[in-house]
Amino acid sequence: MFECAREAEGLEIPRARSRLFAHSARWGIMKTGRNAPCPCGSGKKYKHCHLGIAAHHTNQSVMPTPSTDINSGESPINEEGFLSEHLEPYRQRIRAKHQPHYALVFEINKVCQSVKFQMHVHSRDGQEVLGSALFIKMLADVQAAVLLLERGLPSQARSLLRVAIEALIILGKLSKSYEFVEALIRLGEQQRLRLVRAIQRNSSPDLDSIRSEISEDIIRDIEQIVGDIPNESLEQWARELGLLQFYDVGYRLFSNDVHSKPRALEHYLEVSGDGEYTVINWGPQLSNDLEGEF
């Protein structure tokens, strides 16, 4: 997995600056001195690189453009922007391009499916109940990500893969310690408490009916369950379980898509020869290299 991921564009992050960062000077967002290194990361001084372009460029119209011709009659997207019935040839093309990875994913999926049907869960064993539910959710997350990848939606797939990695780490922690059952439940109630308090603070009339049902007794009950939760993190659990590589590579990398960071937005933009953004792509991205995701 990680050998392939090293070749993925996203793992250039530590070495190459974002194209959006390189445009920050010409947009007037980040000021750069004449003798400072150019934001594009070329290693040249700004005055010898992008200063002239930034000073003399004229704004160009950037048009949202479908990734394929929607008027061709066989486009994978229709005029409303949804995936069309003509997507299948494109899906097969993506599968063929990444066939070795798909084959491996499907073999692993077969093993996981067989495990799922061999589960014998005791209803009064919290570790078994939560663990089996986590396993099934994680499997469904990965399966959904595969469906999105083969339909040209890699950013949305990466969001789901990050969710699956989080489930994997929590499942590992839960499998190692029965005491973690209580901690996991309390963490869930902590999130519920934050939600309840946020609804109380929010004055929107849309929340009036919900707010009216929140009593001080409810809040006290939740607070009693939460108690004092140890200050532990997903990263710490991953380190304890020997899964830090999943956290440092997949979880961190795919967080760009979950939180809509600039790196994730670059996949929707095309740059002309003079460095100007000319197109904002929408629709399935059918030419992406998906080795990192697999």
Side-chain angles (χ1 to χ4, degrees):
M1 168 185 175
F2 301 104
E3 289 299 324
C4 295
R6 289 191 183 97
E7 304 301 323
E9 177 183 356
L11 289 187
E12 293 297 320
I13 290 174
R15 299 191 293 274
R17 286 174 174 162
S18 164
R19 294 200 307 266
L20 291 172
F21 181 84
H23 279 70
S24 60
R26 79 169 58 180
W27 289 341
I29 298 171
M30 297 181 68
K31 304 299 182 182
T32 304
R34 290 174 55 84
N35 293 312
C38 186
C40 74
S42 65
K44 300 178 182 178
K45 291 184 178 181
Y46 182 47
K47 64 183 179 182
H48 296 314
C49 197
H50 276 85
L51 175 60
I53 298 176
H56 298 103
H57 87 281
T58 57
N59 283 327
Q60 300 179 8
S61 296
V62 181
M63 299 296 295
T65 305
S67 54
T68 59
D69 182 7
I70 62 175
N71 297 314
S72 65
E74 296 183 354
S75 171
I77 48 176
N78 58 30
E79 293 180 354
E80 287 77 31
F82 288 99
L83 299 179
S84 75
E85 66 273 15
H86 302 294
L87 179 67
E88 184 60 23
Y90 296 89
R91 188 179 73 85
Q92 293 294 343
R93 189 186 310 168
I94 292 173
R95 275 202 177 195
K97 182 179 179 180
H98 301 281
Q99 182 54 39
H101 302 98
Y102 270 100
L104 177 59
V105 168
F106 289 137
E107 283 301 314
I108 296 174
N109 183 71
K110 285 181 182 179
V111 174
C112 292
Q113 286 289 101
S114 65
V115 170
K116 181 172 69 176
F117 290 111
Q118 294 174 19
M119 288 181 178
H120 298 284
V121 180
H122 299 93
S123 62
R124 295 196 176 187
D125 189 316
Q127 189 177 34
E128 291 185 3
V129 171
L130 293 179
S132 60
L134 262 173
F135 177 82
I136 291 173
K137 180 189 182 300
M138 179 182 66
L139 182 58
D141 291 337
V142 174
Q143 290 170 337
V146 171
L147 293 177
L148 290 171
L149 285 173
E150 65 183 13
R151 285 162 175 78
L153 299 170
S155 179
Q156 291 69 30
R158 285 191 286 271
S159 297
L160 273 174
L161 288 172
R162 181 184 182 271
V163 172
I165 292 172
E166 183 169 351
L168 172 66
I169 295 171
I170 295 174
L171 177 60
K173 180 69 174 178
L174 183 65
S175 301
K176 290 285 187 178
S177 169
Y178 191 89
E179 288 71 23
F180 187 67
V181 173
E182 179 184 350
L184 190 59
I185 292 173
R186 289 166 65 186
L187 284 169
E189 288 301 296
Q190 184 183 61
Q191 289 297 110
R192 181 182 171 212
L193 182 60
R194 289 172 179 170
L195 174 61
V196 167
R197 286 174 172 167
I199 292 173
Q200 281 188 319
R201 292 193 302 267
N202 195 307
S203 60
S204 171
D206 294 334
L207 299 174
D208 285 348
S209 60
I210 302 176
R211 196 182 301 108
S212 64
E213 297 179 7
I214 300 175
S215 66
E216 290 302 317
D217 288 339
I218 291 177
I219 294 177
R220 279 195 296 270
D221 287 343
I222 301 175
E223 288 175 337
Q224 187 175 1
I225 295 172
V226 172
D228 296 323
I229 298 179
N231 187 21
E232 296 180 350
S233 66
L234 192 72
E235 180 180 4
Q236 181 178 339
W237 299 339
R239 182 177 289 107
E240 292 174 1
L241 296 165
L243 297 175
L244 193 58
Q245 69 273 30
F246 283 92
Y247 183 89
D248 282 341
V249 179
Y251 188 84
R252 290 186 187 275
L253 180 60
F254 299 152
S255 292
N256 289 309
D257 296 270
V258 172
H259 299 297
S260 300
K261 296 294 179 63
R263 275 284 176 180
L265 304 182
E266 290 184 355
H267 296 283
Y268 296 93
L269 302 169
E270 287 188 11
V271 183
S272 64
D274 60 358
E276 290 291 343
Y277 286 112
T278 56
V279 172
I280 302 176
N281 284 318
W282 59 274
Q285 299 171 18
L286 304 173
S287 60
N288 286 45
D289 189 339
L290 304 177
E291 287 192 0
E293 288 76 5
F294 281 107

